[in-house]
Amino acid sequence: MSDLIKNSRMSGFGRLSREEKIQKVAEFADLTEEEVNLLNDQADNVLFEKLQRMQENTVSLSPEPFSIVPNGRINGEEKLVVMRGEEPSVVASCGLIFSWAREGNNGQGILAEYINDLMIGQIQQYGFKDEEDALKSKELLLENKESLINIANKVDPVLVKFGGGARDLEVRKIDSEIGQMLVTHLKVDCQDAMGANTVNQMCEVLTPYIEDLTRHKVGHRILSNLADERRSTASLEIPIDEIKKKADRDGLNMSVDEIEERLMNAYYFAKNDNYRATTYNKGAMNAIDTVGAATGQDVQAIEAGVHSFAGKGDSYKPITEWKIEKDLIKGKIDVPMAVGIVGGSTKINPMAQIAKKIMGVKTAKDLGEIIVSAGLAQNFAAIRALALEGIQKGHMKLHAQIAATEAGAEGEEVEKVVQMMVEQNATTPTDARKFLAELRAERE
Ligand code: MEV
Protein backbone atom coordinates (compact mmCIF):
# COMPACT_ATOMS: atom_id res chain seq x y z
CA MET A 1 0.00 0.00 0.00
CA SER A 2 2.72 2.47 1.04
CA ASP A 3 4.47 1.79 -2.32
CA LEU A 4 1.49 3.28 -4.12
CA ILE A 5 1.82 6.68 -2.47
CA LYS A 6 5.61 6.84 -2.67
CA ASN A 7 6.74 9.75 -4.77
CA SER A 8 10.36 10.54 -5.56
CA ARG A 9 9.44 13.91 -6.98
CA MET A 10 10.63 16.29 -4.28
CA SER A 11 10.55 19.80 -5.55
CA GLY A 12 12.84 22.13 -3.59
CA PHE A 13 14.76 19.16 -2.16
CA GLY A 14 18.07 20.90 -2.87
CA ARG A 15 17.07 23.84 -0.64
CA LEU A 16 16.31 21.74 2.44
CA SER A 17 18.78 21.48 5.30
CA ARG A 18 20.82 18.29 5.57
CA GLU A 19 18.64 17.03 8.43
CA GLU A 20 15.45 17.77 6.49
CA LYS A 21 16.79 15.91 3.48
CA ILE A 22 17.58 12.88 5.60
CA GLN A 23 14.12 13.07 7.12
CA LYS A 24 12.52 13.04 3.65
CA VAL A 25 14.71 10.15 2.52
CA ALA A 26 13.99 8.22 5.70
CA GLU A 27 10.23 8.61 5.14
CA PHE A 28 10.56 7.62 1.50
CA ALA A 29 12.71 4.54 2.12
CA ASP A 30 11.39 3.56 5.57
CA LEU A 31 14.83 3.94 7.12
CA THR A 32 15.11 2.77 10.71
CA GLU A 33 16.27 5.06 13.51
CA GLU A 34 19.58 3.18 13.51
CA GLU A 35 20.06 3.79 9.79
CA VAL A 36 19.25 7.47 10.15
CA ASN A 37 21.70 7.72 13.05
CA LEU A 38 24.41 6.14 10.92
CA LEU A 39 23.83 8.70 8.16
CA ASN A 40 23.99 11.47 10.74
CA ASP A 41 27.10 10.09 12.42
CA GLN A 42 28.99 10.22 9.14
CA ALA A 43 28.14 13.88 8.86
CA ASP A 44 29.94 14.50 12.16
CA ASN A 45 33.14 13.46 10.41
CA VAL A 46 35.57 16.40 10.25
CA LEU A 47 35.81 15.90 6.50
CA PHE A 48 32.08 16.37 5.93
CA GLU A 49 32.28 20.14 5.72
CA LYS A 50 34.76 19.95 2.81
CA LEU A 51 33.45 16.88 1.01
CA GLN A 52 29.84 18.02 0.95
CA ARG A 53 30.92 20.81 -1.39
CA MET A 54 31.99 18.32 -4.01
CA GLN A 55 28.49 17.07 -4.82
CA GLU A 56 24.92 18.35 -4.64
CA ASN A 57 22.52 17.00 -2.00
CA THR A 58 25.26 15.40 0.06
CA VAL A 59 23.67 14.18 3.29
CA SER A 60 26.34 11.85 4.64
CA LEU A 61 29.68 10.22 3.78
CA SER A 62 30.27 6.66 2.68
CA PRO A 63 33.78 5.73 3.79
CA GLU A 64 35.89 3.04 2.17
CA PRO A 65 39.10 1.40 3.35
CA PHE A 66 42.21 3.56 2.85
CA SER A 67 45.04 1.02 2.74
CA ILE A 68 48.79 0.96 2.35
CA VAL A 69 50.69 -1.31 -0.03
CA PRO A 70 54.28 -1.67 1.20
CA ASN A 71 57.42 -2.86 -0.67
CA GLY A 72 57.18 -0.58 -3.71
CA ARG A 73 60.35 0.38 -5.55
CA ILE A 74 59.65 2.41 -8.66
CA ASN A 75 62.45 3.93 -10.78
CA GLY A 76 64.81 3.21 -7.89
CA GLU A 77 62.69 5.12 -5.36
CA GLU A 78 61.15 3.50 -2.28
CA LYS A 79 57.37 3.80 -2.43
CA LEU A 80 54.40 3.15 -0.22
CA VAL A 81 51.29 3.04 -2.38
CA VAL A 82 47.84 4.04 -1.16
CA MET A 83 44.64 2.33 -2.31
CA ARG A 84 41.03 3.25 -1.58
CA GLY A 85 38.59 0.41 -2.14
CA GLU A 86 37.13 -2.75 -0.75
CA GLU A 87 38.03 -5.53 -3.19
CA PRO A 88 39.43 -8.37 -1.05
CA SER A 89 43.14 -9.30 -1.31
CA VAL A 90 44.12 -6.49 -3.71
CA VAL A 91 46.39 -4.73 -1.23
CA ALA A 92 48.16 -7.84 0.04
CA SER A 93 48.73 -9.38 -3.38
CA CYS A 94 50.04 -6.11 -4.85
CA GLY A 95 52.48 -5.85 -1.93
CA LEU A 96 53.70 -9.40 -2.58
CA ILE A 97 54.41 -8.70 -6.25
CA PHE A 98 56.08 -5.39 -5.35
CA SER A 99 58.41 -7.29 -3.02
CA TRP A 100 59.38 -9.70 -5.83
CA ALA A 101 59.95 -6.88 -8.32
CA ARG A 102 62.28 -4.82 -6.11
CA GLU A 103 65.57 -6.17 -7.41
CA GLY A 104 64.49 -6.27 -11.07
CA ASN A 105 65.75 -3.85 -13.73
CA ASN A 106 69.23 -3.73 -12.12
CA GLY A 107 67.86 -2.93 -8.70
CA GLN A 108 65.64 -0.08 -9.94
CA GLY A 109 62.51 -2.13 -9.24
CA ILE A 110 59.63 -1.26 -11.52
CA LEU A 111 60.63 1.09 -14.32
CA ALA A 112 57.85 3.51 -15.13
CA GLU A 113 57.51 6.37 -17.53
CA TYR A 114 54.93 9.01 -18.44
CA ILE A 115 54.86 9.35 -22.20
CA ASN A 116 53.59 12.57 -23.68
CA ASP A 117 50.95 14.60 -21.97
CA LEU A 118 48.58 15.70 -24.65
CA MET A 119 44.86 15.57 -23.95
CA ILE A 120 42.56 15.63 -26.95
CA GLY A 121 39.58 17.95 -27.23
CA GLN A 122 37.06 17.20 -30.00
CA ILE A 123 35.14 19.81 -31.96
CA GLN A 124 32.66 18.07 -34.24
CA GLN A 125 30.92 19.38 -37.34
CA TYR A 126 28.28 17.69 -39.45
CA GLY A 127 25.83 18.50 -42.24
CA PHE A 128 28.35 18.84 -45.08
CA LYS A 129 26.87 18.64 -48.61
CA ASP A 130 29.32 15.97 -49.70
CA GLU A 131 32.89 14.78 -49.28
CA GLU A 132 34.31 17.65 -51.28
CA ASP A 133 32.52 20.17 -49.08
CA ALA A 134 33.94 18.49 -45.97
CA LEU A 135 37.45 18.37 -47.42
CA LYS A 136 37.29 22.10 -48.26
CA SER A 137 36.49 22.89 -44.63
CA LYS A 138 39.24 20.57 -43.44
CA GLU A 139 41.74 22.47 -45.58
CA LEU A 140 40.56 25.82 -44.22
CA LEU A 141 40.91 24.59 -40.65
CA LEU A 142 44.42 23.30 -41.25
CA GLU A 143 45.47 26.50 -43.03
CA ASN A 144 44.41 28.40 -39.89
CA LYS A 145 45.89 25.96 -37.42
CA GLU A 146 48.35 28.37 -35.81
CA SER A 147 45.81 31.11 -35.21
CA LEU A 148 43.26 28.62 -33.81
CA ILE A 149 45.91 27.29 -31.40
CA ASN A 150 46.73 30.86 -30.34
CA ILE A 151 43.06 31.60 -29.65
CA ALA A 152 42.76 28.41 -27.58
CA ASN A 153 45.80 29.42 -25.57
CA LYS A 154 44.11 32.62 -24.39
CA VAL A 155 41.79 30.44 -22.25
CA ASP A 156 44.32 29.51 -19.59
CA PRO A 157 47.27 31.91 -19.34
CA VAL A 158 48.44 30.23 -16.12
CA LEU A 159 48.73 26.86 -17.88
CA VAL A 160 50.69 28.53 -20.68
CA LYS A 161 52.92 30.31 -18.16
CA PHE A 162 53.80 26.95 -16.59
CA GLY A 163 54.79 25.48 -19.95
CA GLY A 164 51.48 23.91 -21.00
CA GLY A 165 48.76 24.85 -23.46
CA ALA A 166 47.34 23.89 -26.84
CA ARG A 167 50.09 22.39 -28.99
CA ASP A 168 48.59 20.95 -32.12
CA LEU A 169 45.44 20.63 -34.14
CA GLU A 170 44.41 17.79 -36.43
CA VAL A 171 41.26 17.33 -38.47
CA ARG A 172 39.66 13.93 -39.08
CA LYS A 173 36.95 13.23 -41.64
CA ILE A 174 34.31 10.67 -40.77
CA ASP A 175 31.97 9.11 -43.29
CA SER A 176 28.90 8.43 -41.16
CA GLU A 177 25.37 7.08 -41.69
CA ILE A 178 24.05 10.66 -41.57
CA GLY A 179 26.69 12.10 -43.90
CA GLN A 180 30.20 13.56 -43.76
CA MET A 181 31.51 14.80 -40.42
CA LEU A 182 34.68 16.66 -39.52
CA VAL A 183 36.27 16.31 -36.11
CA THR A 184 38.94 18.79 -35.14
CA HIS A 185 41.28 17.41 -32.49
CA LEU A 186 42.84 20.07 -30.32
CA LYS A 187 45.85 18.62 -28.50
CA VAL A 188 46.59 20.23 -25.17
CA ASP A 189 49.49 19.80 -22.77
CA CYS A 190 47.69 19.99 -19.42
CA GLN A 191 50.81 19.73 -17.22
CA ASP A 192 49.76 18.73 -13.69
CA ALA A 193 46.01 19.08 -14.27
CA MET A 194 43.79 16.34 -15.62
CA GLY A 195 42.63 19.14 -17.85
CA ALA A 196 39.01 18.33 -18.68
CA ASN A 197 37.74 21.81 -17.83
CA THR A 198 40.47 23.66 -19.69
CA VAL A 199 40.19 21.46 -22.78
CA ASN A 200 36.41 21.75 -22.88
CA GLN A 201 36.63 25.50 -22.48
CA MET A 202 39.21 25.77 -25.27
CA CYS A 203 36.94 23.78 -27.58
CA GLU A 204 34.00 26.04 -26.78
CA VAL A 205 36.03 29.22 -27.30
CA LEU A 206 37.12 27.99 -30.75
CA THR A 207 33.55 27.30 -31.85
CA PRO A 208 32.61 30.69 -33.37
CA TYR A 209 35.96 30.92 -35.16
CA ILE A 210 35.57 27.44 -36.65
CA GLU A 211 31.99 28.15 -37.70
CA ASP A 212 33.09 31.41 -39.27
CA LEU A 213 35.98 29.85 -41.17
CA THR A 214 34.08 26.88 -42.52
CA ARG A 215 30.56 28.35 -42.73
CA HIS A 216 29.40 25.17 -41.03
CA LYS A 217 27.88 24.73 -37.61
CA VAL A 218 29.77 23.03 -34.79
CA GLY A 219 28.11 20.12 -32.97
CA HIS A 220 29.85 18.56 -29.97
CA ARG A 221 32.70 20.23 -28.11
CA ILE A 222 34.19 17.92 -25.52
CA LEU A 223 37.43 16.26 -24.46
CA SER A 224 38.01 12.65 -25.47
CA ASN A 225 38.72 10.19 -22.67
CA LEU A 226 40.69 8.10 -25.12
CA ALA A 227 43.84 9.88 -23.96
CA ASP A 228 46.12 7.82 -26.18
CA GLU A 229 48.65 10.63 -26.36
CA ARG A 230 48.87 10.90 -22.59
CA ARG A 231 49.99 7.48 -21.43
CA SER A 232 52.04 5.85 -18.71
CA THR A 233 54.09 2.69 -19.07
CA ALA A 234 55.80 0.40 -16.61
CA SER A 235 57.89 -2.75 -16.82
CA LEU A 236 58.91 -5.23 -14.15
CA GLU A 237 60.95 -8.40 -13.77
CA ILE A 238 60.34 -11.18 -11.27
CA PRO A 239 62.63 -14.15 -10.67
CA ILE A 240 60.75 -17.39 -11.39
CA ASP A 241 62.57 -18.72 -8.35
CA GLU A 242 60.47 -16.46 -6.06
CA ILE A 243 57.29 -17.82 -7.56
CA LYS A 244 58.57 -21.38 -7.20
CA LYS A 245 59.48 -20.79 -3.52
CA LYS A 246 55.98 -19.54 -2.77
CA ALA A 247 54.44 -22.45 -4.66
CA ASP A 248 56.55 -24.82 -2.51
CA ARG A 249 55.49 -23.03 0.69
CA ASP A 250 51.87 -23.39 -0.43
CA GLY A 251 52.43 -27.12 -0.98
CA LEU A 252 51.72 -26.89 -4.73
CA ASN A 253 54.45 -29.30 -5.84
CA MET A 254 55.17 -27.78 -9.28
CA SER A 255 58.39 -27.76 -11.28
CA VAL A 256 59.81 -24.51 -12.68
CA ASP A 257 58.86 -25.68 -16.17
CA GLU A 258 55.28 -26.26 -15.15
CA ILE A 259 55.09 -22.86 -13.43
CA GLU A 260 56.44 -21.14 -16.54
CA GLU A 261 54.03 -22.98 -18.79
CA ARG A 262 51.05 -22.09 -16.59
CA LEU A 263 52.04 -18.40 -16.39
CA MET A 264 52.47 -18.08 -20.14
CA ASN A 265 49.19 -19.89 -20.71
CA ALA A 266 47.51 -17.22 -18.56
CA TYR A 267 48.83 -14.46 -20.81
CA TYR A 268 48.11 -16.15 -24.14
CA PHE A 269 44.59 -17.04 -23.07
CA ALA A 270 43.87 -13.34 -22.45
CA LYS A 271 45.71 -12.29 -25.62
CA ASN A 272 43.52 -14.51 -27.76
CA ASP A 273 40.13 -14.27 -26.12
CA ASN A 274 38.42 -11.01 -25.31
CA TYR A 275 36.06 -12.57 -22.75
CA ARG A 276 39.18 -13.48 -20.78
CA ALA A 277 41.01 -10.22 -21.65
CA THR A 278 38.17 -8.23 -20.10
CA THR A 279 38.51 -9.95 -16.73
CA TYR A 280 42.30 -9.95 -16.97
CA ASN A 281 42.27 -6.18 -17.52
CA LYS A 282 39.78 -5.79 -14.68
CA GLY A 283 42.43 -7.31 -12.40
CA ALA A 284 44.88 -4.53 -13.35
CA MET A 285 42.09 -1.96 -12.92
CA ASN A 286 41.64 -3.20 -9.33
CA ALA A 287 44.87 -1.33 -8.57
CA ILE A 288 44.61 1.44 -11.15
CA ASP A 289 41.18 2.50 -9.89
CA THR A 290 41.95 2.20 -6.20
CA VAL A 291 45.15 4.28 -6.37
CA GLY A 292 43.22 6.71 -8.58
CA ALA A 293 40.35 6.86 -6.08
CA ALA A 294 42.75 7.40 -3.16
CA THR A 295 44.14 10.47 -4.91
CA GLY A 296 40.80 11.94 -6.00
CA GLN A 297 41.08 11.12 -9.72
CA ASP A 298 38.21 10.91 -12.17
CA VAL A 299 38.27 7.11 -12.09
CA GLN A 300 35.51 6.74 -14.67
CA ALA A 301 37.62 8.77 -17.10
CA ILE A 302 40.62 6.51 -16.48
CA GLU A 303 38.47 3.38 -16.93
CA ALA A 304 36.90 4.65 -20.16
CA GLY A 305 40.32 5.56 -21.58
CA VAL A 306 42.02 2.29 -20.67
CA HIS A 307 39.28 0.05 -22.02
CA SER A 308 38.89 2.02 -25.21
CA PHE A 309 42.68 1.82 -25.73
CA ALA A 310 42.54 -1.94 -25.12
CA GLY A 311 39.95 -2.19 -27.89
CA LYS A 312 41.69 0.05 -30.38
CA GLY A 313 43.01 -2.65 -32.70
CA ASP A 314 41.07 -5.51 -34.31
CA SER A 315 39.71 -6.68 -30.98
CA TYR A 316 39.82 -6.00 -27.26
CA LYS A 317 43.32 -6.88 -25.99
CA PRO A 318 45.12 -7.27 -22.65
CA ILE A 319 46.70 -4.03 -21.42
CA THR A 320 49.82 -5.90 -20.28
CA GLU A 321 52.29 -8.22 -21.99
CA TRP A 322 54.34 -11.01 -20.41
CA LYS A 323 57.30 -13.11 -21.49
CA ILE A 324 59.87 -15.37 -19.87
CA GLU A 325 63.56 -14.72 -20.39
CA LYS A 326 66.43 -16.34 -18.49
CA ASP A 327 64.72 -17.32 -15.22
CA LEU A 328 62.75 -14.08 -15.11
CA ILE A 329 59.17 -13.31 -15.98
CA LYS A 330 59.01 -9.84 -17.53
CA GLY A 331 55.87 -7.76 -17.87
CA LYS A 332 54.92 -4.38 -19.24
CA ILE A 333 51.89 -2.15 -19.30
CA ASP A 334 51.10 0.84 -21.53
CA VAL A 335 47.80 2.67 -21.04
CA PRO A 336 46.23 6.12 -21.26
CA MET A 337 46.66 7.86 -17.93
CA ALA A 338 44.89 11.21 -17.71
CA VAL A 339 45.52 12.12 -14.08
CA GLY A 340 45.95 15.42 -12.33
CA ILE A 341 47.13 16.78 -9.02
CA VAL A 342 45.82 20.32 -9.40
CA GLY A 343 42.35 21.60 -10.21
CA GLY A 344 39.08 19.72 -10.11
CA SER A 345 38.28 18.01 -6.84
CA THR A 346 41.80 16.67 -6.23
CA LYS A 347 42.67 19.59 -3.95
CA ILE A 348 39.47 19.64 -1.90
CA ASN A 349 39.68 16.19 -0.37
CA PRO A 350 42.29 16.18 2.43
CA MET A 351 42.47 12.37 2.25
CA ALA A 352 43.63 12.66 -1.37
CA GLN A 353 46.30 15.11 -0.25
CA ILE A 354 47.52 12.70 2.41
CA ALA A 355 47.56 9.83 -0.10
CA LYS A 356 49.71 11.87 -2.47
CA LYS A 357 52.06 12.82 0.34
CA ILE A 358 52.49 9.19 1.43
CA MET A 359 53.30 8.21 -2.15
CA GLY A 360 55.67 11.16 -2.66
CA VAL A 361 53.61 12.42 -5.60
CA LYS A 362 54.71 15.89 -6.70
CA THR A 363 53.55 15.85 -10.31
CA ALA A 364 50.88 14.20 -12.46
CA LYS A 365 53.76 12.28 -14.05
CA ASP A 366 54.72 10.75 -10.65
CA LEU A 367 51.13 9.74 -10.06
CA GLY A 368 50.65 8.18 -13.50
CA GLU A 369 53.82 6.16 -13.06
CA ILE A 370 52.78 4.83 -9.65
CA ILE A 371 49.27 3.97 -10.86
CA VAL A 372 50.45 1.88 -13.81
CA SER A 373 53.16 0.19 -11.69
CA ALA A 374 50.48 -0.93 -9.25
CA GLY A 375 48.24 -2.00 -12.16
CA LEU A 376 50.98 -4.16 -13.64
CA ALA A 377 51.80 -5.75 -10.28
CA GLN A 378 48.13 -6.41 -9.60
CA ASN A 379 47.70 -8.03 -13.00
CA PHE A 380 50.58 -10.37 -12.24
CA ALA A 381 49.15 -11.15 -8.81
CA ALA A 382 45.98 -12.41 -10.51
CA ILE A 383 47.92 -14.28 -13.21
CA ARG A 384 49.97 -16.09 -10.57
CA ALA A 385 47.01 -16.93 -8.39
CA LEU A 386 44.82 -18.14 -11.25
CA ALA A 387 47.59 -20.06 -12.99
CA LEU A 388 48.94 -21.80 -9.91
CA GLU A 389 46.30 -22.17 -7.23
CA GLY A 390 42.93 -20.66 -8.22
CA ILE A 391 41.68 -17.31 -7.00
CA GLN A 392 39.39 -18.31 -4.15
CA LYS A 393 42.08 -19.54 -1.79
CA GLY A 394 43.67 -16.11 -1.37
CA HIS A 395 40.27 -14.50 -0.95
CA MET A 396 39.02 -17.01 1.62
CA LYS A 397 40.14 -15.21 4.72
CA LEU A 398 38.76 -11.84 3.69
CA HIS A 399 35.46 -13.33 2.55
CA ALA A 400 35.23 -15.13 5.87
CA GLN A 401 35.92 -11.87 7.72
CA ILE A 402 33.16 -10.11 5.81
CA ALA A 403 30.72 -13.00 6.37
CA ALA A 404 31.58 -13.16 10.10
CA THR A 405 31.01 -9.43 10.53
CA GLU A 406 27.74 -9.65 8.57
CA ALA A 407 26.66 -12.51 10.84
CA GLY A 408 27.05 -10.22 13.86
CA ALA A 409 30.42 -11.38 15.24
CA GLU A 410 32.04 -8.73 17.41
CA GLY A 411 35.57 -8.10 18.72
CA GLU A 412 37.52 -11.32 19.23
CA GLU A 413 34.61 -13.36 17.89
CA VAL A 414 35.47 -12.21 14.35
CA GLU A 415 38.93 -13.84 14.36
CA LYS A 416 37.59 -17.01 15.97
CA VAL A 417 34.74 -17.39 13.49
CA VAL A 418 37.14 -16.69 10.60
CA GLN A 419 39.51 -19.37 11.86
CA MET A 420 36.65 -21.90 12.10
CA MET A 421 35.48 -21.00 8.59
CA VAL A 422 38.94 -21.26 7.00
CA GLU A 423 39.54 -24.63 8.67
CA GLN A 424 36.23 -25.92 7.29
CA ASN A 425 36.57 -24.29 3.86
CA ALA A 426 33.33 -22.40 4.54
CA THR A 427 32.64 -18.92 3.17
CA THR A 428 28.95 -18.07 3.26
CA PRO A 429 27.14 -15.85 5.80
CA THR A 430 25.04 -18.92 6.73
CA ASP A 431 28.26 -20.77 7.63
CA ALA A 432 29.39 -17.74 9.62
CA ARG A 433 26.10 -17.58 11.54
CA LYS A 434 26.36 -21.30 12.34
CA PHE A 435 29.95 -20.99 13.66
CA LEU A 436 29.09 -17.86 15.62
CA ALA A 437 26.16 -19.65 17.28
CA GLU A 438 28.45 -22.60 18.12
CA LEU A 439 31.09 -20.29 19.55
CA ARG A 440 28.57 -18.44 21.71
CA ALA A 441 26.98 -21.73 22.84
CA GLU A 442 30.42 -23.02 23.90
CA ARG A 443 30.97 -19.92 26.02
CA GLU A 444 27.67 -20.17 27.87
C1 MEV B 1 39.00 -10.08 -9.54
O1 MEV B 1 38.65 -8.84 -8.97
C2 MEV B 1 40.13 -9.90 -10.53
C3 MEV B 1 40.48 -11.17 -11.32
O2 MEV B 1 39.29 -11.70 -11.89
C4 MEV B 1 41.45 -10.76 -12.38
C5 MEV B 1 41.74 -11.86 -13.37
O3 MEV B 1 40.89 -12.73 -13.60
O4 MEV B 1 42.86 -11.82 -13.95
C6 MEV B 1 41.04 -12.20 -10.42
Side-chain angles (χ1 to χ4, degrees):
M1 183 65 187
S2 67
D3 275 353
L4 287 178
I5 52 165
K6 262 189 182 179
N7 192 345
S8 68
R9 193 153 166 76
M10 294 182 184
S11 103
F13 185 79
R15 289 190 296 278
L16 299 178
S17 71
R18 191 189 67 78
E19 289 80 3
E20 287 164 339
K21 283 181 190 139
I22 289 191
Q23 186 55 36
K24 284 251 180 217
V25 174
E27 282 161 18
F28 180 84
D30 289 332
L31 297 185
T32 64
E33 198 185 328
E34 202 182 336
E35 287 161 341
V36 168
N37 287 343
L38 194 55
L39 290 175
N40 282 324
D41 287 351
Q42 293 303 329
D44 286 339
N45 187 315
V46 287
L47 299 178
F48 184 80
E49 180 53 27
K50 288 196 169 184
L51 298 189
Q52 67 168 337
R53 296 183 199 292
M54 295 166 72
Q55 187 61 276
E56 301 87 22
N57 292 340
T58 297
V59 295
S60 184
L61 298 180
S62 177
E64 286 217 45
F66 178 99
S67 315
I68 308 294
V69 185
N71 308 332
R73 185 181 287 162
I74 301 174
N75 296 336
E77 272 184 43
E78 295 301 304
K79 289 283 174 202
L80 293 179
V81 172
V82 183
M83 291 182 172
R84 177 179 185 273
E86 33 59 55
E87 172 97 15
S89 305
V90 166
V91 169
S93 57
C94 190
L96 174 68
I97 306 306
F98 273 175
S99 72
W100 288 346
R102 288 174 66 78
E103 299 309 325
N105 292 312
N106 298 319
Q108 294 290 294
I110 301 178
L111 288 184
E113 206 185 335
Y114 198 59
I115 28 179
N116 261 336
D117 32 24
L118 296 179
M119 290 299 279
I120 296 170
Q122 296 193 294
I123 305 162
Q124 180 235 15
Q125 293 178 280
Y126 63 104
F128 294 96
K129 260 200 327 269
D130 49 29
E131 190 173 5
E132 202 187 327
D133 189 23
L135 285 173
K136 218 160 59 200
S137 289
K138 176 173 176 175
E139 217 176 286
L140 280 167
L141 289 165
L142 290 176
E143 273 167 17
N144 288 277
K145 180 171 163 163
E146 287 312 314
S147 54
L148 290 170
I149 290 175
N150 289 339
I151 294 165
N153 275 331
K154 300 242 166 13
V155 165
D156 193 341
V158 179
L159 178 65
V160 174
K161 187 172 146 213
F162 283 100
R167 292 265 183 275
D168 198 5
L169 184 145
E170 281 172 7
V171 185
R172 296 169 48 225
K173 189 175 76 61
I174 298 175
D175 193 2
S176 87
E177 296 81 345
I178 56 163
Q180 299 285 325
M181 293 179 182
L182 282 189
V183 188
T184 300
H185 277 194
L186 183 70
K187 301 193 177 182
V188 185
D189 175 348
C190 297
Q191 298 275 304
D192 280 329
M194 189 273 193
N197 288 334
T198 304
V199 172
N200 290 342
Q201 216 183 329
M202 285 180 170
C203 293
E204 294 200 358
V205 161
L206 285 180
T207 299
Y209 296 92
I210 289 183
E211 289 184 337
D212 216 40
L213 267 175
T214 60
R215 305 269 163 218
H216 271 283
K217 280 221 157 303
V218 157
H220 277 46
R221 290 102 18 114
I222 187 76
L223 121 155
S224 169
N225 286 123
L226 176 50
D228 57 356
E229 298 197 30
R230 192 182 191 183
R231 308 204 304 275
S232 295
T233 65
S235 62
L236 62 69
E237 300 176 343
I238 292 171
I240 300 287
D241 188 45
E242 293 288 0
I243 304 166
K244 163 82 173 127
K245 280 196 279 196
K246 170 146 176 64
D248 290 347
R249 283 199 301 278
D250 292 345
L252 292 174
N253 190 24
M254 278 177 204
S255 68
V256 164
D257 284 352
E258 184 179 354
I259 290 174
E260 291 185 353
E261 182 190 297
R262 284 169 173 256
L263 294 175
M264 281 299 96
N265 168 57
Y267 169 57
Y268 283 103
F269 178 18
K271 188 166 182 225
N272 289 283
D273 177 49
N274 52 11
Y275 283 89
R276 173 62 203 138
T278 305
T279 323
Y280 173 104
N281 287 346
K282 189 270 182 186
M285 298 315 287
N286 277 343
I288 290 176
D289 288 356
T290 46
V291 182
T295 54
Q297 301 307 307
D298 181 345
V299 174
Q300 295 91 317
I302 297 178
E303 279 271 346
V306 169
H307 291 298
S308 175
F309 190 66
K312 235 188 140 186
D314 312 336
S315 71
Y316 185 86
K317 288 276 183 265
I319 55 173
T320 63
E321 283 174 30
W322 294 93
K323 63 180 177 191
I324 290 178
E325 258 176 28
K326 288 200 201 127
D327 309 330
L328 294 172
I329 180 152
K330 299 183 176 185
K332 62 178 191 201
I333 186 169
D334 175 354
V335 283
M337 200 40 63
V339 291
I341 60 160
V342 295
S345 61
T346 50
K347 278 252 150 139
I348 302 178
N349 185 346
M351 296 302 283
Q353 297 301 330
I354 297 173
K356 280 183 273 180
K357 189 165 180 188
I358 294 172
M359 294 194 280
V361 165
K362 300 215 165 52
T363 60
K365 171 180 180 303
D366 296 340
L367 181 56
E369 290 175 354
I370 293 173
I371 290 179
V372 293
S373 300
L376 181 62
Q378 199 67 48
N379 169 240
F380 188 69
I383 289 181
R384 189 208 65 84
L386 283 164
L388 304 193
E389 60 184 0
I391 207 74
Q392 285 311 111
K393 183 168 175 275
H395 286 179
M396 272 274 301
K397 193 161 176 219
L398 282 171
H399 280 308
Q401 264 171 24
I402 294 165
T405 313
E406 256 177 50
E410 284 172 357
E412 286 180 356
E413 287 176 342
V414 178
E415 262 316 296
K416 291 199 171 123
V417 171
V418 168
Q419 202 186 335
M420 291 159 95
M421 292 178 76
V422 171
E423 276 164 12
Q424 305 283 321
N425 240 347
T427 48
T428 68
T430 315
D431 297 324
R433 275 193 293 277
K434 188 181 101 199
F435 289 124
L436 181 61
E438 279 174 25
L439 186 73
R440 287 181 177 168
E442 263 170 37
R443 282 201 313 231
E444 274 166 14

